[in-house]
Amino acid sequence: MSDRPKLRRFHQAKWDEPIIFELSRKGRRGILPPEVEEGIRREVGDVLASLPEKMRRKEPPKLPELSQPEVLRHYDRLSQETLGTDLNIDVGQGTCTMKYSPKVNERLARSPKLAELHPLQDESTVQGILEVMYRFEQILKEISGMDRFTLQPGAGSAAIYTAASIIRAYHESRGELDRRREIVTTIFSHPSDAAAAKMAGFEVITLYPDEDGYPDLDALKSVVSERTAGLMITNPEDTGIFNPKVDEFVRVVHEVGGLCFYDQANANGILGITRARDAGFDLCHFNLHKTFSSPHGTGGPAVGALGVTSELERFLPVPLVAFDGERYYLDYEVPESIGKIGPFYGVPPVVLRAYAWVMALGARGLREVSEIAVLNNNYLLKKMLEIPGVSAPYAKGKRRIEQVRYSWEELTRETGVHSEDIGLRAADFGVHYWTSHHPWIVPEPCTLEPTESYSKEDLDEYAAILAHVAEEARTDPEIVKTAPHRSTVHRIDHSVLDDPERWAITWRAYLKKREKWGGSGASGAENPTE
């Protein structure tokens, strides 16, 4: 009798649900707002009258108009078409650290005491959340070794761009920006490191790994010069391989006058074990919506917390949260600030969840998070390598940190089934996985990151699903190539993604392009989905 876990039956609700604008019918209302009081009406009228003509709406916004039951049915149907950690084993979103967020923290974030705050309130009325932000900054300083943090960036990529902007401001303040035009990164660092550097006006030099998967130190030495502005690097990289010589990389860049940024978006395997400052880094960031448990929220809201050394503190975006011994306040007195990197000051619910998570765990608990995450990852690595057709390129026989980038190249060569096919077939079992950033340096990749949230039984079940699909690829490849069959997701016609003329970002853009394309719309589908 096989000791493989029994695969549970799965069949997801699938609605041919129109988007909410298609459901709209003029004149329908789900709520009747009260009449505006005359005094308020006059005050608003005075404000509107003071606005330039070009800033005033000529007509009301074209919002969808539906009854309450229609709204309820619409969003309940959509909710039945989603999956997540509350419903499935969500280990397949490698590099994104999808983990369980304690429900008590959700109650905190949804409390009216927080949810009804407004960013323009007087500071005296928001002392509680400012204190949480200030205290959480002290925690991040301890974890990283940095001297000051900003919680303003609204995503990891925003934090990385902030770091690139500070590197630029630093060299500009020294009169060296004209010649320091190059940022060095590695191919397996997060692509945002290269993208943010490019957006900040730098040229990007990318290092490739040696045969063991490590960034090549000699290659770094060959490219640094008086033109080097800095190093922006992820460690462990997206392969899950930790570079033990990272402090030497920092030293080499410092010797030519560059700054070093540590992309710690995926710090789930090193909390309480390594610190950015101890390796010599000048800047680092954490994703609170990943490592610190706050949910991704479907790509947002998020917080990319950026820390710097005291030498770079003067460039941080304003405002910073400060404490004068009696009150917490927003400090705009940052002499050489790069300005604002986002509206207001970060996303308070994300910070509150992360703060509650850390306070519940304590210092020892944070380290245990990393120890379990590393243990889970290496257990899953062993299970995955038992599946015929799977490999883990680079660092043969060595353990990884928090994730692994696997390759299905052997299975593809034998069966014609590709990594994307396997991921779509996995959706028929209620799970998924992510392949890789492009370009695919690892052929036919899939990237798995189990985190600390999952049990041995969960990991056994997940591996069993992929083993089953790999078996199908050999015995019935068409069922894999035509998947999914029981999920709401479907195969996408990628051809339209390469044609900007067929992109539709808004409903009104879709309507215009639907006319142009004879009713098929920008997506080529009769019913676009939200």
Side-chain angles (χ1 to χ4, degrees):
M1 183 177 178
S2 173
D3 60 356
R4 183 182 294 177
K6 183 178 180 181
L7 303 185
R8 66 187 75 210
R9 293 175 62 87
F10 174 79
H11 199 297
Q12 192 170 0
K14 186 174 182 180
W15 297 89
D16 292 329
E17 183 69 8
I19 72 170
I20 199 166
F21 285 96
E22 288 189 306
L23 296 173
S24 176
R25 296 294 180 270
K26 189 172 178 58
R28 290 188 182 169
R29 294 287 183 273
I31 186 172
L32 294 176
E35 289 291 325
V36 178
E37 297 173 17
E38 185 58 35
I40 296 176
R41 188 189 298 274
R42 281 198 306 271
E43 189 172 330
V44 171
D46 292 342
V47 172
L48 292 176
S50 68
L51 290 175
E53 183 67 25
K54 64 181 181 181
M55 295 182 64
R56 301 183 205 172
R57 282 188 176 276
K58 301 296 186 293
E59 55 187 41
K62 292 181 173 61
L63 300 176
E65 301 178 56
L66 294 89
S67 67
Q68 280 191 24
E70 289 171 317
V71 173
L72 179 65
R73 291 180 202 130
H74 175 69
Y75 286 105
D76 272 355
R77 287 168 184 157
L78 293 181
S79 73
Q80 292 172 7
E81 297 187 286
T82 63
L83 289 174
T85 190
D86 289 353
L87 292 170
N88 68 344
I89 306 167
D90 197 14
V91 310
Q93 195 67 20
T95 82
C96 282
T97 317
M98 308 294 280
K99 61 168 69 181
Y100 179 77
S101 182
K103 293 299 175 256
V104 65
N105 296 349
E106 292 298 320
R107 292 188 64 181
L108 287 172
R110 296 179 184 184
S111 164
K113 294 178 181 179
L114 180 69
E116 295 178 7
L117 294 182
H118 192 281
L120 294 180
Q121 282 182 229
D122 187 272
E123 288 174 3
S124 65
T125 67
V126 290
Q127 287 292 292
I129 190 60
L130 290 179
E131 180 179 358
V132 166
M133 290 176 168
Y134 181 84
R135 287 177 175 270
F136 191 64
E137 180 187 353
Q138 311 316 304
I139 291 170
L140 293 178
K141 285 160 59 175
E142 183 67 24
I143 292 171
S144 66
M146 293 295 162
D147 296 314
R148 197 71 192 268
F149 268 82
T150 175
L151 305 178
Q152 189 180 112
S157 296
I160 297 167
Y161 179 72
T162 305
S165 299
I166 289 174
I167 292 173
R168 183 181 61 198
Y170 170 79
H171 291 304
E172 187 173 24
S173 73
R174 296 162 59 89
E176 297 182 357
L177 185 60
D178 287 345
R179 64 181 171 87
R180 292 195 180 273
R181 307 302 306 164
E182 296 173 351
I183 291 286
V184 181
T185 187
T186 67
I187 193 63
F188 285 131
S189 288
H190 195 284
S192 289
D193 294 326
K198 190 70 175 177
M199 284 296 294
F202 294 106
E203 296 302 316
V204 178
I205 297 174
T206 303
L207 304 180
Y208 282 73
D210 62 21
E211 60 184 11
D212 291 321
Y214 298 110
D216 192 275
L217 184 58
D218 289 333
L220 174 68
K221 291 177 180 178
S222 72
V223 299
V224 296
S225 70
E226 63 178 13
R227 290 182 52 78
T228 302
L231 171 73
M232 302 182 73
I233 190 170
T234 304
N235 191 40
E237 295 190 291
D238 284 354
T239 54
I241 298 171
F242 186 90
N243 177 10
K245 297 180 179 178
V246 70
D247 56 339
E248 293 185 46
F249 275 63
V250 171
R251 177 183 55 78
V252 167
V253 173
H254 279 169
E255 284 178 351
V256 298
L259 295 177
C260 296
F261 165 70
Y262 196 163
D263 177 343
Q264 293 188 288
N266 287 65
N268 213 51
I270 56 177
L271 288 174
I273 298 172
T274 69
R275 300 201 315 170
R277 185 64 170 276
D278 296 342
F281 282 94
D282 307 289
L283 313 89
C284 78
H285 96 286
F286 298 105
N287 279 356
L288 305 191
H289 52 289
K290 294 168 70 168
T291 301
F292 290 86
S293 96
S294 200
H296 274 62
T298 315
V303 171
L306 177 72
V308 299
T309 60
S310 57
E311 185 179 11
L312 301 178
E313 183 179 333
R314 66 187 190 274
F315 301 114
L316 284 170
V318 290
L320 298 173
V321 176
F323 181 54
D324 64 8
E326 294 183 0
R327 67 182 184 94
Y328 300 90
Y329 63 97
L330 295 174
D331 182 10
Y332 287 85
E333 299 302 318
V334 183
E336 298 177 66
S337 172
I338 60 172
K340 291 180 74 70
I341 206 70
F344 303 111
Y345 192 75
V347 185
V350 173
V351 178
L352 180 61
R353 288 192 196 96
Y355 177 72
W357 184 74
V358 172
M359 293 300 288
L361 288 167
R364 182 67 192 91
L366 281 182
R367 185 183 177 101
E368 190 173 356
V369 161
S370 291
E371 291 169 346
I372 296 173
V374 172
L375 178 64
N376 277 355
N377 186 51
N378 285 281
Y379 178 76
L380 184 60
L381 171 63
K382 179 179 182 298
K383 299 294 292 186
M384 287 292 294
L385 293 181
E386 292 171 358
I387 302 173
V390 178
S391 65
Y394 306 114
K396 299 291 185 183
K398 294 184 179 180
R399 295 183 173 89
R400 308 295 174 96
I401 304 298
E402 87 300 1
Q403 66 184 34
V404 179
R405 183 155 293 167
Y406 299 92
S407 174
W408 292 102
E409 183 179 25
E410 181 184 337
L411 185 75
T412 300
R413 203 165 44 238
E414 293 175 4
T415 67
V417 171
H418 294 276
S419 176
E420 289 176 328
D421 298 326
I422 295 168
L424 287 168
R425 179 57 174 155
D428 283 329
F429 298 90
V431 300
H432 79 299
Y433 71 68
W434 182 67
T435 52
S436 165
H437 302 293
H438 286 279
W440 283 4
I441 306 300
V442 171
E444 299 297 332
C446 83
T447 311
L448 307 181
E449 182 185 4
T451 79
E452 79 283 2
S453 296
Y454 297 96
S455 66
K456 175 180 177 296
E457 290 74 22
D458 290 334
L459 302 181
D460 286 341
E461 182 178 349
Y462 189 89
I465 290 169
L466 294 188
H468 176 82
V469 175
E471 209 170 272
E472 288 181 329
R474 289 188 165 87
T475 59
D476 188 5
E478 283 307 305
I479 198 172
V480 183
K481 293 180 179 180
T482 57
H485 307 287
R486 299 194 297 266
S487 178
T488 62
V489 298
H490 57 85
R491 289 182 175 257
I492 297 172
D493 176 9
H494 288 277
S495 63
V496 301
L497 302 179
D498 298 324
D499 182 2
E501 288 299 314
R502 303 193 69 165
W503 297 351
I505 308 302
T506 67
W507 171 244
R508 278 181 285 183
Y510 170 78
L511 291 179
K512 290 177 182 177
K513 295 197 174 185
R514 183 171 62 177
E515 293 176 9
K516 180 177 179 180
W517 292 97
S520 64
S523 67
E526 290 299 330
N527 290 311
T529 58
E530 290 182 318

